[in-house]
PDB file of all heavy atoms in Angstrom:
ATOM      1  N   LEU A  96     -15.604  32.026 -23.779  1.00 75.00           N
ATOM      2  CA  LEU A  96     -16.417  31.435 -22.728  1.00 75.00           C
ATOM      3  C   LEU A  96     -16.168  29.938 -22.687  1.00 75.00           C
ATOM      4  O   LEU A  96     -16.164  29.277 -23.731  1.00 75.00           O
ATOM      5  CB  LEU A  96     -17.910  31.689 -22.983  1.00 75.00           C
ATOM      6  CG  LEU A  96     -18.376  33.139 -22.939  1.00 75.00           C
ATOM      7  CD1 LEU A  96     -19.833  33.228 -23.339  1.00 75.00           C
ATOM      8  CD2 LEU A  96     -18.181  33.708 -21.558  1.00 75.00           C
ATOM      9  N   SER A  97     -16.002  29.422 -21.495  1.00 85.00           N
ATOM     10  CA  SER A  97     -15.845  27.984 -21.350  1.00 85.00           C
ATOM     11  C   SER A  97     -17.226  27.333 -21.366  1.00 85.00           C
ATOM     12  O   SER A  97     -18.256  27.998 -21.248  1.00 85.00           O
ATOM     13  CB  SER A  97     -15.124  27.657 -20.046  1.00 85.00           C
ATOM     14  OG  SER A  97     -15.954  28.013 -18.953  1.00 85.00           O
ATOM     15  N   ILE A  98     -17.252  26.026 -21.499  1.00 89.00           N
ATOM     16  CA  ILE A  98     -18.512  25.283 -21.497  1.00 89.00           C
ATOM     17  C   ILE A  98     -19.236  25.482 -20.168  1.00 89.00           C
ATOM     18  O   ILE A  98     -20.451  25.679 -20.131  1.00 89.00           O
ATOM     19  CB  ILE A  98     -18.258  23.784 -21.756  1.00 89.00           C
ATOM     20  CG1 ILE A  98     -17.585  23.574 -23.112  1.00 89.00           C
ATOM     21  CG2 ILE A  98     -19.540  22.989 -21.667  1.00 89.00           C
ATOM     22  CD1 ILE A  98     -18.417  24.005 -24.285  1.00 89.00           C
ATOM     23  N   GLY A  99     -18.486  25.468 -19.068  1.00 88.00           N
ATOM     24  CA  GLY A  99     -19.085  25.667 -17.743  1.00 88.00           C
ATOM     25  C   GLY A  99     -19.747  27.025 -17.628  1.00 88.00           C
ATOM     26  O   GLY A  99     -20.844  27.154 -17.080  1.00 88.00           O
ATOM     27  N   ALA A 100     -19.089  28.066 -18.162  1.00 85.00           N
ATOM     28  CA  ALA A 100     -19.659  29.412 -18.114  1.00 85.00           C
ATOM     29  C   ALA A 100     -20.935  29.492 -18.940  1.00 85.00           C
ATOM     30  O   ALA A 100     -21.913  30.133 -18.530  1.00 85.00           O
ATOM     31  CB  ALA A 100     -18.638  30.423 -18.605  1.00 85.00           C
ATOM     32  N   ILE A 101     -20.946  28.836 -20.082  1.00 88.00           N
ATOM     33  CA  ILE A 101     -22.141  28.837 -20.932  1.00 88.00           C
ATOM     34  C   ILE A 101     -23.296  28.148 -20.225  1.00 88.00           C
ATOM     35  O   ILE A 101     -24.429  28.632 -20.239  1.00 88.00           O
ATOM     36  CB  ILE A 101     -21.835  28.176 -22.297  1.00 88.00           C
ATOM     37  CG1 ILE A 101     -20.856  29.057 -23.080  1.00 88.00           C
ATOM     38  CG2 ILE A 101     -23.111  27.954 -23.101  1.00 88.00           C
ATOM     39  CD1 ILE A 101     -20.314  28.418 -24.323  1.00 88.00           C
ATOM     40  N   ILE A 102     -23.017  27.026 -19.577  1.00 90.00           N
ATOM     41  CA  ILE A 102     -24.065  26.304 -18.849  1.00 90.00           C
ATOM     42  C   ILE A 102     -24.612  27.160 -17.709  1.00 90.00           C
ATOM     43  O   ILE A 102     -25.826  27.244 -17.511  1.00 90.00           O
ATOM     44  CB  ILE A 102     -23.526  24.955 -18.330  1.00 90.00           C
ATOM     45  CG1 ILE A 102     -23.272  24.019 -19.510  1.00 90.00           C
ATOM     46  CG2 ILE A 102     -24.495  24.315 -17.344  1.00 90.00           C
ATOM     47  CD1 ILE A 102     -22.546  22.743 -19.141  1.00 90.00           C
ATOM     48  N   ILE A 103     -23.742  27.843 -16.979  1.00 90.00           N
ATOM     49  CA  ILE A 103     -24.184  28.705 -15.882  1.00 90.00           C
ATOM     50  C   ILE A 103     -25.038  29.852 -16.414  1.00 90.00           C
ATOM     51  O   ILE A 103     -26.090  30.184 -15.838  1.00 90.00           O
ATOM     52  CB  ILE A 103     -22.970  29.234 -15.085  1.00 90.00           C
ATOM     53  CG1 ILE A 103     -22.336  28.076 -14.310  1.00 90.00           C
ATOM     54  CG2 ILE A 103     -23.378  30.355 -14.134  1.00 90.00           C
ATOM     55  CD1 ILE A 103     -21.032  28.437 -13.658  1.00 90.00           C
ATOM     56  N   ILE A 104     -24.635  30.447 -17.527  1.00 89.00           N
ATOM     57  CA  ILE A 104     -25.417  31.531 -18.110  1.00 89.00           C
ATOM     58  C   ILE A 104     -26.793  31.039 -18.522  1.00 89.00           C
ATOM     59  O   ILE A 104     -27.812  31.696 -18.279  1.00 89.00           O
ATOM     60  CB  ILE A 104     -24.662  32.155 -19.320  1.00 89.00           C
ATOM     61  CG1 ILE A 104     -23.425  32.901 -18.805  1.00 89.00           C
ATOM     62  CG2 ILE A 104     -25.561  33.084 -20.111  1.00 89.00           C
ATOM     63  CD1 ILE A 104     -22.481  33.333 -19.901  1.00 89.00           C
ATOM     64  N   ILE A 105     -26.859  29.860 -19.135  1.00 91.00           N
ATOM     65  CA  ILE A 105     -28.140  29.298 -19.552  1.00 91.00           C
ATOM     66  C   ILE A 105     -29.021  29.030 -18.341  1.00 91.00           C
ATOM     67  O   ILE A 105     -30.222  29.343 -18.343  1.00 91.00           O
ATOM     68  CB  ILE A 105     -27.931  28.028 -20.397  1.00 91.00           C
ATOM     69  CG1 ILE A 105     -27.309  28.395 -21.743  1.00 91.00           C
ATOM     70  CG2 ILE A 105     -29.246  27.273 -20.590  1.00 91.00           C
ATOM     71  CD1 ILE A 105     -26.867  27.204 -22.548  1.00 91.00           C
ATOM     72  N   LEU A 106     -28.451  28.472 -17.269  1.00 90.00           N
ATOM     73  CA  LEU A 106     -29.229  28.196 -16.066  1.00 90.00           C
ATOM     74  C   LEU A 106     -29.752  29.487 -15.432  1.00 90.00           C
ATOM     75  O   LEU A 106     -30.901  29.550 -14.993  1.00 90.00           O
ATOM     76  CB  LEU A 106     -28.396  27.415 -15.049  1.00 90.00           C
ATOM     77  CG  LEU A 106     -28.114  25.951 -15.425  1.00 90.00           C
ATOM     78  CD1 LEU A 106     -27.155  25.341 -14.417  1.00 90.00           C
ATOM     79  CD2 LEU A 106     -29.388  25.158 -15.511  1.00 90.00           C
TER      80      LEU A 106
END
Side-chain angles (χ1 to χ4, degrees):
L96 295 175
S97 67
I98 300 297
I101 293 171
I102 291 171
I103 290 172
I104 291 169
I105 291 171
L106 289 174

